[in-house]
Amino acid sequence: MMNDQNRSWMVPFASVAAFVMLAQLVAGRATREALFLANFRADDLPYAMAAAGVLSVGGSIPAARALSRFGPGRVVPFFFAFSASLFVIEWIFSHRAPHFVAAMLYLHLAAASTLLVSGFWAILNERFDPHSAKAGLARVASFATAGGMLGGLLSERVGVLFGLDTTLIVMAGMHGFCAVLVGWIGRFGALTTETSDSEESELSGLGAIRSAPYLKLLVATTVTFAILDAPLDFAIRAGAAGEFDSGKELIRFFGFYYTAVGVATFLMQSALTQKVIARFGIGTAMASMPIMVMVTGAAALFSPVLAAFVAMRGTTSVLTNSVYRTGFELLYTPLPLRLKRPAKPVVDVGGDGLGDVVGAGLVLAIIAVWPVGQLVGVTAAAIGLAGVLIWLLSRLQNAYRAQLTENLEEGNLKSVVADGPAPDVTHSHIQLDRSAIRARLHEMGLPGSEAQVSHDSPTSEWVEALSDSGRAHGAAEGLRARGVAARGDLLQALSDPDCPGLAKLFLPGLLEHVPDESVVEGLLATMAEADFEVRFRSGRAVVRIVQHQLELKPSSERVLEAVRHELHNPGVAPPVESMSVAEDRSESVLIADYPHLPVARRLEHVLTLLALENGSDLMRSVLLGLYSENPAFSGNALEYLDASLPEDLRRALPEILGGRLAGLRSRPGSDQAARDLKAELLRQAQTRIMGPSPASGNSEGDPT
């Protein structure tokens, strides 16, 4: 896809930066926990967690202002450089004041890690549209998990061989490297569906959150997740502190633990994360993490030993660092920059810090109330919080789709979708057999003015006259005059496989004027017809009926069934990017204002059917978005379809999108394409011979 091609160069550089960043993050956590537990008691952990949470909340506000004013591309590299300088200071004082350094490192990593990871992903998700982000960010995340795998091993080896203080200077170098590479990536522009005026409007982080219900839901999810993290972390740390005494034993345990989690996360991220998100959707895929908390937590309640807490924290960490984190970053991609930039650090850092404070308070309360069974208590609390998180994630799935819808409906698509020039078939790149076309036109004859059918004749004779181009106009006029009385016979003819195909072209337009539930069902049933033109006209007719009589709207299940019939119809369809060279676009329910835009007719047809469920305004925005030269719009349109349709329909999308996924490039030299285009030209020639459409106020005989 076009936006994939333009942005794919960024993925290798971002992957290297993510690898180093996550290697440092995991090594830093192992070092932090080993230093803290070697200098303080395990019961002091909740206080450190609360202090780190307060620091995160306080730091998120100025960070949000800086990101909103200058953009993450300029601010985040500075944060990396500042963090590197703090590591150097901690290394200098590690022997002189070990207690001070242990506390400082805990606060430093607790506050900075979330901010740096959030800022790094902010740079990336501004530079991908919502659809291409699924593949691009998933590849970057795979390298990040590989870095996490190395980070655990790095902390264990360096800590055991050279001492914990040496890991501090190594981490300083890693953050310095990230500052340089992330700074280079951040120089390139962000994608947006906003106009320049809306981009310039400044909001504070809290103001942006107050103005957007979607962001409020993201905050609630972040806080709940952070609260859940507190009892999970306390369980494994307290369990490890009870088993091991020395700092070297602790660094070895946490080093091996994080290495094992890193390996499992890498395998999960590389093999399954992208598939799970594509298969189940973002919200459902993310819910796998709290579901695992409930499963492993139930086991830990029955057997509260270190191995059970390692299993609980380890499995949830794997899902958190693969499916959950990747999914959560994808949730930011549809947000406009004016909301995303100020809100993201407040949501990620402030929400995480607030959750840490509340989580620490929860753990302290459990210790105070139940000191003997504290590990069982925190496990039970984790299970309850996991249930709340599952409920929030189910709401986020719908909110994500609603945000995509808002982007498409409120975006200035007219500024990025231009109507094309009037098409000229003589410039087609497909070689046509013009003699075959002339022969077919000769068989069609010239139009006449009389139906040459007795007014007392049965409707079937009038329908048969529709197939004769010399009598079609009069027959259509006579059938229209019969009104409701002809409805049953017209429906029967539409479903009759022996009814002449040329006659069927008129029937959707005639039935549109005598609507009822049977007409709507009959028109939808034509999606099993072999003739694409009949299906195409039936789809337009049924949407126009529902627009005027909403009570005739079919059920969602019936609409999706009709779309399935269309997508799996073995009948001949027009070429993927074919456009009618003589089509009256005033009949279109989606693109009447774009008479020359070269839209794929089958794609228009499928979106027309979906308009029965989602509304013609939204489907018009989706169709125009797909033909936008702005990758932010086209990505939003593709992602909306991906997030809205059932899996079997999503799998069929590439077939009807065709050239849109290949940068609007047809495949010249295709014999099948040439045969299909011949059939299309015959249909257009027939339309010209039979006259203009009734919608234009002219003759009533045109079946369009």
Side-chain angles (χ1 to χ4, degrees):
M1 198 168 59
M2 181 172 55
N3 43 329
D4 268 331
Q5 293 168 358
N6 289 345
R7 299 278 163 164
S8 59
W9 60 266
M10 198 181 299
V11 173
F13 297 98
S15 299
V16 173
F19 180 91
V20 176
M21 179 181 68
L22 263 292
Q24 184 282 323
L25 178 64
V26 173
R29 283 178 177 173
T31 304
R32 174 193 69 183
E33 287 158 11
L35 272 177
F36 189 89
L37 292 173
N39 290 277
F40 298 94
R41 296 180 298 110
D43 289 347
D44 295 326
L45 274 171
Y47 297 102
M49 293 164 62
V54 171
L55 182 61
S56 295
V57 173
S60 67
I61 304 300
R65 290 175 181 167
L67 289 171
S68 179
R69 183 173 181 181
F70 301 107
R74 296 172 63 183
V75 174
V76 175
F78 170 78
F79 288 163
F80 272 110
F82 182 69
S83 176
S85 65
L86 289 180
F87 279 123
V88 173
I89 293 172
E90 289 155 359
W91 172 70
I92 292 173
F93 289 96
S94 59
H95 288 293
R96 303 175 187 176
H99 283 73
F100 169 77
V101 169
M104 179 180 176
L105 180 65
Y106 195 98
L107 297 176
H108 167 197
L109 289 180
S113 296
T114 305
L115 179 61
L116 293 174
V117 172
S118 173
F120 172 78
W121 289 111
I123 291 175
L124 291 188
N125 65 40
E126 284 188 4
R127 285 153 180 80
F128 288 92
D129 64 78
H131 189 73
S132 64
K134 284 185 175 179
L137 297 190
R139 287 195 290 271
V140 175
S142 295
F143 277 84
T145 55
M149 178 175 59
L150 175 66
L153 184 62
L154 176 69
S155 63
E156 191 274 333
R157 287 291 85 196
V158 174
V160 170
L161 296 177
F162 303 103
L164 293 178
D165 57 325
T166 306
T167 61
L168 297 173
I169 199 66
V170 172
M171 288 187 288
M174 296 170 82
H175 268 188
F177 175 82
C178 288
V180 175
L181 191 53
V182 171
W184 183 80
I185 296 172
R187 293 173 54 200
F188 296 87
L191 297 178
T192 180
T193 60
E194 300 171 284
T195 62
S196 57
D197 291 340
S198 62
E199 285 181 53
E200 292 172 0
S201 61
E202 288 192 11
L203 285 171
S204 67
L206 295 177
I209 292 169
R210 282 194 296 265
S211 68
Y214 182 63
L215 282 170
K216 294 177 184 176
L217 195 54
L218 284 175
V219 170
T221 304
T222 302
V223 172
T224 304
F225 171 79
I227 297 173
L228 170 61
D229 231 24
L232 294 176
D233 274 346
F234 179 81
I236 189 171
R237 291 171 185 173
E243 290 285 334
F244 307 107
D245 297 323
S246 69
K248 283 196 173 183
E249 287 180 327
L250 286 167
I251 190 64
R252 183 182 293 273
F253 167 77
F254 283 113
F256 282 128
Y257 165 77
Y258 282 118
T259 300
V261 168
V263 171
T265 303
F266 175 74
L267 295 175
M268 178 71 186
Q269 183 70 36
S270 302
L272 294 176
T273 294
Q274 191 173 347
K275 295 177 181 177
V276 169
I277 291 176
R279 171 70 171 79
F280 297 104
I282 296 175
T284 304
M286 292 172 66
S288 61
M289 188 277 290
I291 290 173
M292 184 58 69
V293 171
M294 300 180 80
V295 173
T296 56
L301 287 177
F302 288 100
S303 179
V305 296
L306 178 60
F309 298 123
V310 168
M312 180 175 67
R313 189 58 176 131
T315 54
T316 55
S317 292
V318 169
L319 292 172
T320 295
N321 296 325
S322 55
V323 177
Y324 189 91
R325 290 294 186 191
T326 301
F328 196 81
E329 292 302 327
L330 290 172
L331 292 173
Y332 281 108
T333 53
L335 280 169
L337 293 182
R338 62 184 177 83
L339 296 177
K340 184 191 307 184
R341 283 184 171 176
K344 194 174 191 302
V346 177
V347 175
D348 288 352
V349 183
D352 188 70
L354 178 60
D356 284 345
V357 173
V358 176
L362 175 64
V363 172
L364 284 171
I366 293 172
I367 293 173
V369 173
W370 198 359
V372 177
Q374 56 186 244
L375 291 178
V376 174
V378 296
T379 302
I383 293 174
L385 289 165
V388 175
L389 187 57
I390 291 171
W391 175 73
L392 288 170
L393 291 172
S394 68
R395 295 188 61 195
L396 262 179
Q397 181 86 355
N398 295 328
Y400 175 74
R401 184 165 57 247
Q403 184 63 49
L404 292 168
T405 301
E406 182 180 331
N407 291 349
L408 291 167
E409 291 181 335
E410 296 186 2
N412 188 15
L413 278 165
K414 288 189 176 181
S415 66
V416 292
V417 180
D419 195 17
D424 183 356
V425 73
T426 61
H427 294 104
S428 171
H429 64 268
I430 300 178
Q431 298 299 314
L432 303 174
D433 185 353
R434 300 179 186 274
S435 62
I437 296 175
R438 286 196 298 269
R440 184 70 183 96
L441 292 176
H442 178 73
E443 292 175 2
M444 291 164 59
L446 296 174
S449 59
E450 297 293 336
Q452 301 176 16
V453 179
S454 170
H455 288 285
D456 298 328
S457 299
T459 302
S460 59
E461 291 189 20
W462 290 82
V463 172
E464 185 177 352
L466 292 174
S467 64
D468 185 345
S469 60
R471 300 186 294 158
H473 287 280
E477 185 177 345
L479 286 168
R480 195 184 303 275
R482 291 194 170 196
V484 176
R487 178 195 292 151
D489 292 323
L490 293 178
L491 284 172
Q492 184 177 356
L494 186 63
S495 62
D496 184 0
D498 296 326
C499 180
L502 293 177
K504 284 191 175 184
L505 296 178
F506 289 86
L507 299 182
L510 294 170
L511 286 166
E512 183 183 340
H513 294 280
V514 287
D516 69 355
E517 291 183 358
S518 65
V519 170
V520 170
E521 177 56 35
L523 291 171
L524 290 177
T526 63
M527 298 310 122
E529 278 273 344
D531 190 336
F532 171 78
E533 191 62 32
V534 174
R535 308 196 304 269
F536 186 70
R537 298 182 184 208
S538 294
R540 285 181 168 183
V542 74
V543 173
R544 286 193 292 265
I545 288 173
V546 172
Q547 285 176 338
H548 291 93
Q549 298 188 38
L550 190 59
E551 67 274 10
L552 295 179
K553 178 182 176 181
S555 67
S556 301
E557 294 76 14
R558 184 65 186 93
V559 172
L560 293 178
E561 181 184 355
V563 174
R564 286 188 180 92
H565 280 303
E566 172 57 40
L567 293 176
H568 300 124
N569 195 309
V572 175
V576 168
E577 287 296 330
S578 72
M579 175 195 170
S580 171
V581 297
E583 181 182 357
D584 183 4
R585 278 279 175 84
S586 65
E587 290 290 322
S588 175
V589 297
L590 300 183
I591 48 174
D593 294 336
Y594 294 83
H596 306 310
L597 184 67
V599 170
R601 299 184 74 235
R602 195 176 188 204
L603 175 58
E604 180 192 352
H605 174 48
V606 170
L607 295 184
T608 297
L609 292 175
L610 289 172
L612 290 168
E613 175 62 21
N614 302 298
S616 57
D617 289 341
L618 176 55
M619 288 300 100
R620 180 183 302 111
S621 296
V622 170
L623 184 57
L624 293 177
L626 291 172
Y627 283 85
S628 166
E629 293 303 317
N630 182 341
F633 276 114
S634 58
N636 265 270
L638 284 169
E639 183 59 18
Y640 175 83
L641 294 174
D642 208 35
S644 303
L645 297 178
E647 184 195 5
D648 60 325
L649 299 186
R650 291 201 304 268
R651 286 200 302 264
L653 275 180
E655 179 185 348
I656 62 166
L657 289 170
R660 297 309 307 154
L661 296 176
L664 295 175
R665 290 191 297 270
S666 311
R667 291 178 295 177
S670 167
D671 293 337
Q672 182 61 47
R675 287 195 298 271
D676 291 341
L677 189 51
K678 290 177 191 176
E680 171 71 2
L681 289 172
L682 288 172
R683 184 202 67 78
Q684 296 163 15
Q686 175 199 352
T687 301
R688 282 178 168 172
I689 288 174
M690 291 182 178
S693 75
S696 304
N698 299 315
S699 170
E700 296 180 352
D702 184 24
T704 304

